[in-house]
Amino acid sequence: MQKISPFLWFNDNAEQAIQHYLSIFRHAKIISSTRCGDAGPGPKGALMTATFQLESVEFMALNGGPHFRFTEAISLLVRCESQNEVDYLWEQLGAGGQPGQCGWLKDKFGLSWQIVPVVLMELLQDRDPEKAARVMQAMLQMGKIDISRLQQAYNG
């Protein structure tokens, strides 16, 4: 068991969100769940909490009601190995949500994600500050990250 896990508070759609995430990530599963009984706190049989895993990261979700909402102050960073992976995750997680800048998006449940190719961090950490600066300027103009445009900026 993971010592620290993200805990996600949903209004009443945690089960739909979990199923959505499980359909997107290849290595994903529900570990456990609890449902409301006769005493509530929600309708009998409704999901109360669930522990699930996406790409070896364990999350816990709660149908906690409308008291709290997600903000961009917390986001889930997904490191991508290829442009195909960036494109797929951007499309799937962004469907019904809101695209943002610099690889950020908000999904249809309001959760913020960063879809970032691994090569971006490598290019931004280059020893040549001019190359890194060009990559940063290119990234600041993007919504979804485009690896070929980053490479072009890096090469000058």
Side-chain angles (χ1 to χ4, degrees):
M1 179 182 286
Q2 200 170 283
K3 190 168 188 89
I4 299 173
S5 295
F7 188 97
L8 306 175
W9 180 299
F10 293 88
N11 180 8
D12 61 0
N13 57 356
E15 192 157 23
Q16 295 91 337
I18 292 166
Q19 289 304 319
H20 180 66
Y21 303 145
L22 293 178
S23 76
I24 293 171
F25 291 93
R26 186 182 318 171
H27 304 287
K29 63 183 177 180
I30 293 176
I31 298 169
S32 65
S33 63
T34 59
R35 297 198 172 269
C36 298
D38 290 329
K44 185 176 181 176
L47 183 75
M48 187 166 44
T49 64
T51 302
F52 65 103
Q53 196 174 68
L54 302 176
E55 301 295 336
S56 301
V57 176
E58 191 175 291
F59 296 83
M60 185 155 206
L62 167 74
N63 274 327
H67 311 293
F68 301 109
R69 295 181 178 258
F70 295 120
T71 75
E72 292 81 359
I74 296 289
S75 61
L76 302 177
L77 174 77
V78 183
R79 292 174 185 87
C80 300
E81 296 296 328
S82 68
Q83 187 66 51
N84 285 342
E85 187 178 12
V86 169
D87 294 346
Y88 171 77
L89 290 173
W90 186 266
E91 179 181 321
Q92 296 299 310
L93 290 168
Q98 293 178 306
Q101 289 298 113
C102 305
W104 290 59
L105 63 83
K106 192 179 285 190
D107 71 21
K108 64 184 176 182
F109 303 101
L111 187 59
S112 291
W113 297 79
Q114 295 180 59
I115 310 303
V116 180
V118 173
V119 69
L120 172 62
M121 297 314 296
E122 294 169 2
L123 296 175
L124 288 173
Q125 295 171 2
D126 194 88
R127 291 181 187 214
D128 183 334
E130 290 180 17
K131 288 180 177 181
R134 288 194 305 263
V135 171
M136 176 63 79
Q137 287 305 308
M139 181 203 60
L140 291 173
Q141 304 303 312
M142 297 178 191
K144 177 178 71 173
I145 302 297
D146 182 325
I147 295 172
S148 65
R149 286 179 46 209
L150 295 176
Q151 290 287 351
Q152 289 171 357
Y154 178 83
N155 293 331

